[in-house]
């Protein structure tokens, strides 16, 4: 019998990815190596997040990032972790980061075939109060000739339907990696004693019909589409009242929705006509996961994955979660002539 607590055959995420790779004889192993570099970036960021208070990494770096937000030290560290790990994987052709105004295009002679769009530390306004935050990533294959450098428009602005894989790492009570490579959604938890993500669920799916939870920043409600306001009113006054759960950290709100069901919304508001969340490295990867887990993800006008990106930092309204709730919001928006 195995010694209690010691596992001589741990079901690591890396082993799962290699097993999946073996199912595709033509696979070169490039994707497996790419995923290892992303897992490394997440582990390094988890260490930095856990140590932030002690290492004095809280507080404002004094630099304002491309989003016009005060750039916190952890944001910078997380971005460096991802850029360095991805470039040294030798498998990427272009990197698009929430923290960088322009993409990083790898010279053709050193480029791989993948493009990664990522938010290295989403929810950073929650860092100082120790609310869960996370890294979000989206993986595409380049469409242009491998002998030439990536074209930002052609390769960088692909719709979410072209995604090869997407996932997030949530730095909460546990460090949890949720990943989909085109089939089921895989959940894994970091075992700090091993430094490995251990698989906890090989087919994470929203429960049906899903808990009656709605997740929205009601502070902006008055400026949101009438259909959304009608949905929120029904959540409060309807025959079956809903619970409101809003963390204000997308990774935490989406993870809860994947685990329990319900709906997460960041619709258009008066101040941001396309909502606040970014298409390439927030809305698309989360929509990819949500759909593969049996949920829905709409911009209000169409599936989020079908939205054509206008620019690498373009925004998109987000309505995602249990189909029962997403359909209800869309029906109310249609009744109000809003979609
Ligand atoms: P609000 C965090 O800053 C973030 O980008 C997402 O993680 C989160 O869902 C959203 O903004 C929260 O925005 O306007 O409700 O504070």
């Amino acid at each position: 019998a195995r010694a209690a607590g010691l596992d001589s055959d741990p079901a690591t995420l890396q082993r799962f990815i290699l097993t999946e790779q073996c199912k595709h004889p033509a696979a070169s192993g490039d994707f497996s190596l790419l995923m290892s570099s992303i897992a490394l970036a997440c582990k390094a960021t988890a260490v930095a997040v856990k140590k932030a208070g002690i290492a004095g990494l809280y507080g404002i770096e004094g630099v304002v990032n491309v989003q016009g937000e005060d750039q916190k030290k952890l944001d910078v560290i997380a971005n460096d972790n991802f850029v360095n790990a991805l470039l040294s994987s030798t498998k990427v052709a272009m990197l698009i980061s929430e923290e960088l105004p322009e993409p990083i295009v790898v010279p053709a002679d050193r480029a791989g075939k993948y493009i990664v769009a990522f938010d290295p530390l989403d929810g950073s306004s929650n860092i100082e109060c120790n609310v869960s935050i996370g890294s979000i990533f989206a993986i595409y294959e380049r469409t242009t000739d491998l002998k030439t450098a990536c074209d930002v428009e052609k390769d960088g602005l692909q719709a979410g339907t072209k995604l090869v894989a997407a996932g997030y790492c949530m730095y909460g009570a546990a460090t949890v990696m949720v990943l989909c490579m085109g089939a089921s959604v895989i959940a894994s938890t970091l075992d700090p004693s091993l430094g490995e993500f251990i698989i906890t669920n090989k087919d994470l799916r929203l429960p049906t019909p899903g808990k009656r939870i709605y997740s929205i920043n009601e502070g902006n409600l008055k400026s949101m589409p009438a259909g959304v306001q009608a949905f929120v009113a029904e959540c409060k006054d309807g025959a079956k009242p809903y619970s409101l759960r809003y963390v204000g950290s997308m990774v935490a709100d989406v993870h809860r929705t994947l685990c329990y069901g319900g709906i997460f919304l960041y619709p258009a508001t008066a101040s941001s006509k396309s909502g606040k969340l970014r298409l390439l490295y927030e809305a698309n990867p989360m929509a990819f996961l949500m759909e593969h887990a049996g949920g829905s993800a709409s911009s209000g006008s169409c599936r989020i994955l079908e939205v054509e990106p206008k620019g690498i930092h373009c925004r998109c309204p987000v309505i995602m979660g249990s189909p029962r709730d997403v359909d209800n919001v869309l029906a109310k928006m249609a009744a109000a002539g809003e979609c």
Side-chain angles (χ1 to χ4, degrees):
R2 280 187 200 138
L6 296 178
D7 183 347
S8 57
D9 189 15
T12 64
L13 177 63
Q14 183 169 43
R15 187 169 76 175
F16 180 86
I17 291 167
L18 289 170
T19 310
E20 288 301 295
Q21 174 193 322
C22 296
K23 292 178 186 171
H24 306 279
S28 61
D30 286 355
F31 181 79
S32 302
L33 284 168
L34 177 71
M35 273 314 306
S36 295
S37 73
I38 290 175
L40 172 67
C42 291
K43 287 186 259 190
T45 302
V47 169
V49 167
K50 295 262 185 274
K51 282 177 24 181
I54 303 160
L57 294 177
Y58 287 165
I60 291 167
E61 176 75 12
V63 174
V64 176
N65 71 9
V66 66
Q67 318 300 340
E69 297 156 348
D70 288 327
Q71 187 147 357
K72 303 190 189 311
K73 293 177 183 174
L74 266 179
D75 276 347
V76 177
I77 290 169
N79 191 58
D80 292 348
N81 288 344
F82 273 80
V83 169
N84 295 332
L86 285 164
L87 291 181
S88 31
S89 77
T90 74
K91 302 305 173 194
V92 297
M94 178 160 65
L95 301 182
I96 294 168
S97 170
E98 194 254 7
E99 294 295 339
L100 301 174
E102 299 304 326
I104 295 176
V105 178
V106 180
D109 60 339
R110 282 185 281 122
K113 64 182 174 186
Y114 292 107
I115 291 154
V116 184
F118 57 94
D119 186 350
L121 201 58
D122 181 75
S124 48
S125 52
N126 292 303
I127 291 178
E128 273 88 15
C129 59
N130 199 32
V131 160
S132 297
I133 49 182
S135 304
I136 310 171
F137 53 89
I139 302 171
Y140 294 91
E141 284 195 21
R142 63 175 298 186
T143 56
T144 50
D145 175 0
L146 290 171
K147 289 192 289 303
T148 62
C150 260
D151 177 295
V152 176
E153 300 289 317
K154 291 197 193 82
D155 290 310
L157 300 184
Q158 298 181 55
T161 46
K162 299 278 195 273
L163 279 167
V164 168
Y168 58 79
C169 187
M170 181 167 147
Y171 312 111
T175 298
V176 170
M177 167 92 76
V178 173
L179 167 70
C180 177
M181 301 180 280
S184 64
V185 176
I186 319 297
S188 59
T189 298
L190 182 64
D191 175 341
S193 66
L194 266 181
E196 289 284 354
F197 285 99
I198 305 299
I199 300 284
T200 53
N201 190 334
K202 288 186 177 176
D203 187 15
L204 175 59
R205 296 187 67 78
L206 279 82
T208 48
K211 286 187 185 298
R212 289 194 292 278
I213 295 172
Y214 74 108
S215 184
I216 190 168
N217 181 342
E218 287 210 23
N220 306 321
L221 191 59
K222 284 277 172 285
S223 66
M224 289 179 181
V228 171
Q229 297 190 45
F231 173 76
V232 169
E234 186 176 285
C235 288
K236 293 177 171 180
D237 314 327
K240 297 180 179 173
Y242 276 53
S243 294
L244 171 59
R245 294 284 184 274
Y246 192 71
V247 181
S249 184
M250 186 185 199
V251 173
D253 284 318
V254 168
H255 188 64
R256 183 203 54 250
T257 306
L258 279 170
C259 296
Y260 296 165
I263 186 168
F264 167 70
L265 307 94
Y266 206 110
T269 63
S271 51
S272 38
K273 291 288 173 247
S274 299
K276 172 182 183 183
L277 300 175
R278 311 288 178 167
L279 177 61
L280 261 60
Y281 40 78
E282 288 175 322
N284 263 344
M286 294 312 204
F288 183 81
L289 292 170
M290 203 51 83
E291 290 197 359
H292 281 89
S296 303
S298 173
S299 69
S301 317
C302 63
R303 285 170 67 211
I304 288 174
L305 296 180
E306 291 170 347
V307 174
E308 284 302 327
K310 298 283 175 295
I312 63 170
H313 296 301
C314 70
R315 301 172 194 266
C316 173
V318 167
I319 304 165
M320 57 171 65
S322 297
R324 164 204 63 197
D325 298 321
V326 173
D327 293 347
N328 189 0
V329 172
L330 296 179
K332 287 175 165 56
M333 288 179 72
E338 291 164 329
C339 72

